[in-house]
Each structure stands twice: as C-alpha cells, then as structure tokens.
Amino acid sequence: MRLPNRPSLCAILAIAAVSPGAAFAQTATNLEALRGLVPVSVLGATTAGKAALASDESVTAAIQDGSAKQPTLLPFVQQQQQALRDAFITSGNGTELADGLGSRLGGVYQSLTAYSSPDDGTTKTFKNVAPSVANLFAYTSGLTSSDAGSGKFFFSNGTMNGKKPVSAAATAIMTAAGGVTDIFGSSTGHPIGSSGADPFGDSRPFQTEPSLTPIKGPDFFGVMATNHDYLYGPIQNLTTNPSFPSGHTTYGYTESLVLAFMVPTRYSQQITRAAEYGNDRIVLGAHYAMDVIAGRTLALHDVAQMLANKPDYVDATLKGSKPIADYPAAVTAARADFDAALQPGCKMAVPACASEDTGRFANPAANEAFYESTQTYGLPVVYPKTAAMVEDVGKIAPEAGYLLTIAFPSLTLSQADDILTATEGPGGGFLDNGSAFGLYSRLDLFKAVQKAAAP
C-alpha cells in the first residue's frame, strides 16, 4: 500500500518563506536575493545562455549517473549512500554536516546534538550544545532559508506560493531584467503543463531526465529507503517544489559556515563538506548544477551581510530565533560556549581535538580537488566581460572579507578582501554579471581560507 506523501523540509521552508502572511514574505533581504539571482531568468535570450543551460543539463545527468567521474571524497557507490543520508536537513544544529569537524571532534559534537525521530523524520527532536549556539544556527539559517525560499516560485511562475502574485517590487525586478519564468522547464522541454512536469514550473532533474539512477540504502535515520522515496514520496515529495535555487545547498553552506566559525582550524574541511552536501543533491537527482551554485552563492552573500551587520540582515524578527543585533559578537559568544561544551567530551582543547581526523576530510589535496570541481561545474561562460577580468572584491563587495576575518582575526578587512580577489575562481558564470551578488558566485572560499591560514 502506498503511503500518503508528506512535504519535504525544503518544501516547507520554501512555502513558509513565501506564502501569504508568512513572517518572512517579501522582506528586504528576499528582494535582494531575487535581484542577485535574476540573471538566471534571461539565459534563454542569448546563445551563451542557451549553451550554459544545455551544459547544465548534461553535466547534471553525468553527475547523477556517475559518468562524470567527479573526484568525490568517497567511491561513487558510497557517495550515493551519503547522498541518500544527506536528503534530510538537520537544520538548527548542523549535526549531519559536522563530520567536517574531524572524526574526533565531529563525533563528540554529533553525540551532543543528536536528531531523533520515531517516524523517519515526520516528527523529530534535536539537541544543541548551548543556547547561544542554538540561536546562532536558528537566526542564520532562518534568514538564508527565507531568501532561498523566496526564489522558488518567483522564478518558476512569478508567484509567492504557486498562486499568489508577488509584490510590485518583486515584479519590477523581473521586468527590469527582461526575464522569464520556468527557465529550467522550458530549456529541458518540460514546461508548465507538460506531462510529468512540475505544475508550478522549473521542473527538477528527476522530472526532466530520461532516467534516474536508483539509490537504495539507509537514510539519515537508518531506515531503508530509495532516492525515489525522497523525490516522489512517500518520505519527501518534491514533484511540486520548483528546482531553483537549491534550499538544501543554501542550508549546507550556511550551517557549515557556522560550524567553521566555531572551529576556524576546520574551515576548509567544513566548506568542503558544504560542497559535498550540495553536490549530493545532484547525485540524488533533486537538483541541477546551477541550482547548487545559486544556493552556495546565496549563502555566502547573506552570511557576509550578517557579519558586516548590514541593516535588514541583523536584528531581524525570524521565526524560531531571537534577533541578533551584532552578528560578529554573537559568533564570538557562541564560540566560547561551543568550546566549553565540547572540551569535556574531547578531554583536550578543542583545536587539538579538531586535529585528530581519520575520516574522508583528512586529505587536504583530495578536499581541494573535490571543492574545485564544484566551483563552476565546468559550465560555459555567459558573461565574457567578467570572465576576462579580475573583479576587485574590496571595491565591489568589501563585506565579503568578513567571511575570513571572523575566523582569522589577525587579518584586516582590506587584507581579507585582497585574499578573496587573489584566489577568486573563473568569472563570467551565469550569475556573474558584474553585480556584487554575482561576484560571490566566483569566490573560491577553499583557496581563500588556505591562503588566510598560511603562516
């Protein structure tokens, strides 16, 4: 007997963020996210954009079936199993992401932050190590998930929740760009109304690709499941949840950054875990490469604004969290409480505990190779002008440097921006249209962290 479908957590977050009367609906940060992501809506208007969309589809298919031969941190069959576990979002404490902290420290952290559920995730409880850490997670993810959710239906059919029209301010963003909705459904031949397509637009890869490579194994809660269960239901039903941007990836980078801020010596490993978490959405069949790049870009952008204490990004009223008026101070306080909570289990100082790692993130070269493979996913250039130039982070998006100074306080903001400029990845991608938001899509945080940490 087929069980009734229940919505996925990412679907709930998306709907909560954009439904009428919701606490996060059409906030100033939502609108800023839409402005930053709107270049996706014009890809069908140029030859370069169409080529990028075609490449996105083929790259996505090759990653999902394993023919891409990515330098994943696990053999592909094992990476598929990881992708199935990563289908569940451990929002609020990032415990699923904490293996980036190292086998010893990560193990201690996960023992203190366990998620439990009697029904494979329908109802759940979880723990945290300290109120300050819990609130930092809740506030940070509350804001970034709201911004990611605001894009789901906006880019799929120009609405807030599938039916209710967006605000005049949001409409103006699409109009000014000359963009269109349902870009992924249209480019893959599965527009709204076609057989098997998402009825709201922007169908996902499992709806557009000719076949889906099956995955079967224990999910996050140890229950035997398949990727079909996490795409079509009964565990999660994404058939009416538009693809762009990836909410899971936004979460993965957001809460991995919080963990990296708690343990700066694990920064590069933790963002490698974020990259893996986002990439696993492609392996599962849930997202395109462009969705994942957009989720990463959004998370880095939003967290940098919070670190800079930008108006609208701090002291906000977000469901499930207390307002944070001074974000860097909240990080500092949470880090002290994190150390105090973890040290007894480690039986040593947290930095020493973090250095003990026999897991899949123990090889720096392997981490770098994998992270770099996700930087652009090999998608072609859309904007030749930015591809041909080095974009000065200090001039275009100076607050980005706070992503480094929060972990490496000996750096000035100017020095951090110089590092981000010197290490930035290839430009001209589908979001890199010269805007400050677009610049975040080419920041290579792995290389930047390595350079910042160097003696």
Side-chain angles (χ1 to χ4, degrees), residues 394-439:
K395 292 181 178 179
I396 301 171
E399 73 287 338
Y402 289 118
L403 292 168
L404 296 180
T405 61
I406 194 67
F408 306 101
S410 64
L411 294 175
T412 65
L413 181 61
S414 178
Q415 289 171 331
D417 285 334
D418 287 345
I419 289 173
L420 289 170
T421 301
T423 58
E424 65 188 26
F430 76 102
L431 292 176
D432 187 27
N433 63 348
S435 70
F437 185 98
L439 176 55

Side-chain angles (χ1 to χ4, degrees), residues 26-51:
Q26 302 290 156
T27 65
T29 68
N30 290 166
L31 294 174
E32 188 63 22
L34 299 183
R35 290 187 194 97
L37 295 171
V38 78
V40 75
S41 70
V42 300
L43 290 175
T46 66
T47 299
K50 291 176 182 177

Side-chain angles (χ1 to χ4, degrees), residues 145-195:
S145 67
S146 170
D147 287 350
S150 72
K152 289 283 187 179
F153 293 99
F154 177 78
F155 291 110
S156 64
N157 72 349
T159 67
M160 293 176 67
N161 64 351
K163 296 180 181 180
K164 182 179 175 62
V166 295
S167 67
T171 298
I173 292 170
M174 186 72 82
T175 301
V180 297
T181 56
D182 193 27
I183 195 74
F184 294 101
S186 299
S187 68
T188 59
H190 293 77
I192 294 174
S194 60
S195 177

Side-chain angles (χ1 to χ4, degrees), residues 376 381-383 386-389 391 425-429 432 442:
T376 67
V381 166
V382 174
Y383 296 100
T386 50
M389 62 188 291
E391 295 179 271
D432 187 27
R442 71 183 294 189

Side-chain angles (χ1 to χ4, degrees), residues 285-348:
H287 279 293
Y288 302 99
M290 282 187 178
D291 300 336
V292 171
I293 292 172
R296 179 190 76 214
T297 303
L298 178 60
L300 298 187
H301 170 271
D302 279 8
V303 174
Q305 311 311 305
M306 286 183 257
L307 286 166
N309 281 337
K310 289 283 188 75
D312 299 322
Y313 290 87
V314 293
D315 213 17
T317 301
L318 299 170
K319 185 177 181 180
S321 72
K322 297 177 181 179
I324 292 178
D326 186 334
Y327 191 87
V331 170
T332 300
R335 186 185 294 153
D337 291 342
F338 182 98
D339 284 359
L342 273 291
Q343 189 165 328
C346 283
K347 296 181 172 56
M348 61 179 71

